[in-house]
Amino acid sequence: MSASPGASNPEYVTTRVRSRRSVLFSDEDYRKLIRMGPAEIARFMEESEYESEINALGARHSGVDLIEYALNRNLAKHFNDLLDWADGRLYDLIARYLRKFDAWNVKTVLRGIYSGADREDVETDLIRAGELDEHLLDRLLDAGSIEEVADLLDRTMFATPLREALEEYEESGVLVPLENAVDRVFYEQLLSDLPGGEANETYREFLEAEIDFRNARNALRLARSGADVDPSEYYIEGGQLFGADQLSAIAGNVDELVAVIRESTYGDDLDSALDEFEEADSLISFERALDVALLEYSDRLGFIHPLSVAPVVSYILAKEREVDNIRAIARGREAGLSEEEIEEELVIL
């Protein structure tokens, strides 16, 4: 992806994005889907804007596989449309944010190699919405080792960080160093050389919140797991909530972690979620609350700065939420989970 020439065109892109947002599934739609089996969910999707994907894939796939392939293909289509619409600096900012799917795909391939998963199972989880082209993704799926993945990514931003993390991976036998290398370089390129102006300064604050929430999530997961891992290995630079040294000092103490989050600028937004986390010891509820807070934050920024990248990023998060929720419902129904158990997995505003 390289920026299209010419000036940015936020009015045009924002109008198109507003139209796309209007057809996203509602919370009421999710509550209907929870009561359906996979075949009924696919039929429901066929009567929505997923119609072309369900029809195109229906001859080759069925059940949850059909739903997952349709979701990922639809997501890629919508996000590639964003790049087709945008010009200039706006294109560049959108392209940078969409590299989150490159990071996702690289980590998905690494996990597949690490766990010995079937190629088809790994492919189902890929989201072809980033910069890595179809040919490279197919070659990554065929890779037989972590080293081969790093070699195939030689011309991307991921190659050097992965190679630097290889020794630590081989010593520890866990994927954390590799996954963090991928996440770190993604966020570094996201925050680097952002243009000036009030709207982009607010966008930077949103990105810092996203990093803070990632660090908070990782820290609480680590504290709950009791694993003997240096928390700084999970740390991503660029946020405001924790420093690496502070995180290392308090990561084993859940009460102290919660206190730091409560006293931060995010305290009001996350107060009830932190209460629930402490009372029910429910990490999943807290993680869902982080997702909701980030969605609401991005919506507010899009409202305050309608002619900036903010409404586009807000739409990207909302579309991701839709896909994640439908996938969670389909997988939950297939696994025989109760409606209550599935609803706990959903991000509902």
Side-chain angles (χ1 to χ4, degrees), residues 257-312:
L257 269 172
V258 169
V260 169
I261 298 168
R262 274 196 198 282
E263 290 161 17
S264 74
T265 54
Y266 311 118
D268 289 345
D269 288 334
L270 298 175
D271 201 45
S272 60
L274 288 166
D275 287 343
E276 189 175 347
F277 174 68
E278 289 187 308
E279 288 163 17
D281 201 22
S282 171
L283 186 55
I284 192 166
S285 297
F286 180 70
E287 292 187 351
R288 295 295 163 268
L290 289 179
D291 291 335
V292 168
L294 202 61
L295 278 162
E296 290 176 341
Y297 194 177
S298 71
D299 285 348
R300 285 202 300 275
L301 291 189
F303 182 74
I304 296 166
H305 299 290
L307 299 182
S308 72
V309 73
V312 183

Side-chain angles (χ1 to χ4, degrees), residues 64-100:
V64 174
D65 281 351
L66 171 60
I67 292 166
E68 298 220 20
Y69 277 115
L71 288 171
N72 288 348
R73 182 180 286 195
N74 180 274
L75 192 74
K77 176 183 77 178
H78 281 286
F79 292 165
N80 286 324
D81 283 347
L82 296 175
L83 295 170
D84 288 341
W85 299 336
D87 288 326
R89 193 58 174 162
L90 182 61
Y91 176 102
D92 179 57
L93 291 173
I94 295 169
R96 281 205 233 176
Y97 195 77
L98 288 177
R99 287 181 190 138
K100 70 192 295 183

Side-chain angles (χ1 to χ4, degrees), residues 8 17 33 74 154 253 265 270 307 318 327 345:
S8 291
V17 162
L33 290 173
N74 180 274
D154 196 42
N253 186 329
T265 54
L270 298 175
L307 299 182
R327 180 184 289 115
E345 297 279 340

Side-chain angles (χ1 to χ4, degrees), residues 45 50 53 57 64-80 101 104-105 108 121-129 134 319-320 323-324 327 331:
M45 290 170 66
Y50 291 92
E53 288 81 12
L57 295 161
V64 174
D65 281 351
L66 171 60
I67 292 166
E68 298 220 20
Y69 277 115
L71 288 171
N72 288 348
R73 182 180 286 195
N74 180 274
L75 192 74
K77 176 183 77 178
H78 281 286
F79 292 165
N80 286 324
F101 298 105
W104 166 264
N105 289 337
T108 299
D121 290 339
V122 178
E123 186 175 12
T124 305
D125 284 337
L126 294 186
I127 299 170
R128 297 171 186 260
E134 298 279 334
K319 181 65 181 177
E320 275 188 275
V323 166
D324 288 344
R327 180 184 289 115
R331 286 180 174 175

Side-chain angles (χ1 to χ4, degrees), residues 46-303:
E46 191 179 6
E47 292 168 9
S48 74
E49 63 102 25
Y50 291 92
E51 178 185 8
S52 62
E53 288 81 12
I54 293 289
N55 288 337
L57 295 161
R60 279 178 289 156
H61 304 285
S62 62
V64 174
D65 281 351
L66 171 60
I67 292 166
E68 298 220 20
Y69 277 115
L71 288 171
N72 288 348
R73 182 180 286 195
N74 180 274
L75 192 74
K77 176 183 77 178
H78 281 286
F79 292 165
N80 286 324
D81 283 347
L82 296 175
L83 295 170
D84 288 341
W85 299 336
D87 288 326
R89 193 58 174 162
L90 182 61
Y91 176 102
D92 179 57
L93 291 173
I94 295 169
R96 281 205 233 176
Y97 195 77
L98 288 177
R99 287 181 190 138
K100 70 192 295 183
F101 298 105
D102 292 329
W104 166 264
N105 289 337
V106 170
K107 290 188 292 183
T108 299
V109 168
L110 293 174
R111 289 171 193 148
I113 291 170
Y114 182 76
S115 65
D118 291 339
R119 184 189 195 279
E120 190 175 340
D121 290 339
V122 178
E123 186 175 12
T124 305
D125 284 337
L126 294 186
I127 299 170
R128 297 171 186 260
E131 199 168 35
L132 306 181
D133 62 33
E134 298 279 334
H135 178 63
L136 179 53
L137 287 173
D138 286 338
R139 292 184 70 195
L140 288 170
L141 285 168
D142 292 329
S145 68
I146 305 286
E147 292 81 1
E148 191 178 347
V149 169
D151 289 342
L152 287 168
L153 293 169
D154 196 42
R155 297 189 178 187
T156 74
M157 64 181 180
F158 301 111
T160 300
L162 278 176
R163 289 194 178 109
E164 288 173 353
L166 265 173
E167 185 179 346
E168 199 177 342
Y169 159 70
E170 285 162 358
E171 285 175 5
S172 66
V174 295
L175 278 178
V176 170
L178 297 173
E179 291 183 323
N180 282 356
V182 171
D183 285 337
R184 280 179 181 143
V185 74
F186 165 69
Y187 282 109
E188 279 170 18
Q189 64 86 35
L190 203 52
L191 287 165
S192 67
D193 300 322
L194 278 180
E198 186 188 351
N200 284 315
E201 204 45 52
T202 333
Y203 177 52
R204 178 184 289 278
E205 288 171 16
F206 164 78
L207 297 177
E208 289 169 352
E210 187 169 318
I211 293 170
D212 282 334
F213 288 3
R214 174 69 63 94
N215 283 331
R217 186 187 311 247
N218 286 343
L220 287 170
R221 280 181 181 172
L222 197 59
R224 276 281 167 266
S225 73
D228 185 23
V229 180
D230 181 354
S232 64
E233 288 182 19
Y234 283 81
Y235 183 74
I236 297 167
E237 299 274 354
Q240 300 296 319
L241 183 56
F242 302 108
D245 292 341
Q246 181 191 22
L247 194 61
S248 292
I250 66 172
N253 186 329
V254 175
D255 293 340
E256 206 169 337
L257 269 172
V258 169
V260 169
I261 298 168
R262 274 196 198 282
E263 290 161 17
S264 74
T265 54
Y266 311 118
D268 289 345
D269 288 334
L270 298 175
D271 201 45
S272 60
L274 288 166
D275 287 343
E276 189 175 347
F277 174 68
E278 289 187 308
E279 288 163 17
D281 201 22
S282 171
L283 186 55
I284 192 166
S285 297
F286 180 70
E287 292 187 351
R288 295 295 163 268
L290 289 179
D291 291 335
V292 168
L294 202 61
L295 278 162
E296 290 176 341
Y297 194 177
S298 71
D299 285 348
R300 285 202 300 275
L301 291 189
F303 182 74

